Amino acid sequence: MVKHVVTFKFKGSEKERKEVAEKFAEALLALPAQIDELISMEVGINENPAEKWDLVLTATANSLEDVAKYSAHPAHLAAVAIMAPYKEDRACVDYSI
């Protein structure tokens, strides 16, 4: 199995970043019901104002191939479109569990 961990930093005011994070989180949390390759999805919105990253997602899939299928799925692409205009930075780690 694979853990897929992604962090995002958004552009905009604090209010804009929070609104985008909330909309994006809602869309991400709906994905396991829409994408067979996803075993689970956990999303956290940063609450610490001293930190610069806005959102983290942790997804579980059976393989890196399944992560790739999830990434290309139309439901995932629709979720990504929510935050794309606000994305300042992204970091990702995939590891076996």
Side-chain angles (χ1 to χ4, degrees), residues 3 5-6 13 15 20 22-23 41 47 56 82 89:
K3 283 282 188 184
V5 181
V6 187
S13 69
K15 180 182 176 189
V20 169
E22 289 172 348
K23 289 177 186 173
M41 173 74 70
E47 298 174 7
V56 62
I82 292 168
D89 205 355

Side-chain angles (χ1 to χ4, degrees), residues 60-93:
T60 305
N62 282 317
S63 65
L64 282 174
E65 291 80 12
D66 284 350
V67 171
K69 288 177 186 176
Y70 139 73
S71 295
H73 192 281
H76 175 256
L77 297 176
V80 168
I82 292 168
M83 67 81 194
Y86 299 92
K87 184 176 84 173
E88 182 175 318
D89 205 355
R90 175 188 179 274
C92 177
V93 175

Side-chain angles (χ1 to χ4, degrees), residues 16-96:
E16 290 171 321
R17 292 188 346 260
K18 184 174 181 182
E19 288 174 357
V20 169
E22 289 172 348
K23 289 177 186 173
F24 187 39
E26 183 179 338
L28 289 170
L29 290 170
L31 294 179
Q34 301 172 60
I35 303 174
D36 291 337
E37 289 79 13
L38 278 179
I39 295 169
S40 67
M41 173 74 70
E42 181 179 330
V43 179
I45 297 173
N46 184 32
E47 298 174 7
N48 183 348
E51 297 297 332
K52 298 183 190 289
W53 293 90
D54 295 296
L55 182 140
V56 62
L57 75 84
T58 304
T60 305
N62 282 317
S63 65
L64 282 174
E65 291 80 12
D66 284 350
V67 171
K69 288 177 186 176
Y70 139 73
S71 295
H73 192 281
H76 175 256
L77 297 176
V80 168
I82 292 168
M83 67 81 194
Y86 299 92
K87 184 176 84 173
E88 182 175 318
D89 205 355
R90 175 188 179 274
C92 177
V93 175
D94 294 310
Y95 61 93
S96 296

Side-chain angles (χ1 to χ4, degrees), residues 1-18:
M1 290 179 61
V2 173
K3 283 282 188 184
H4 173 68
V5 181
V6 187
T7 59
F8 294 90
K9 184 191 292 186
F10 301 130
K11 300 180 231 178
S13 69
E14 185 176 334
K15 180 182 176 189
E16 290 171 321
R17 292 188 346 260
K18 184 174 181 182

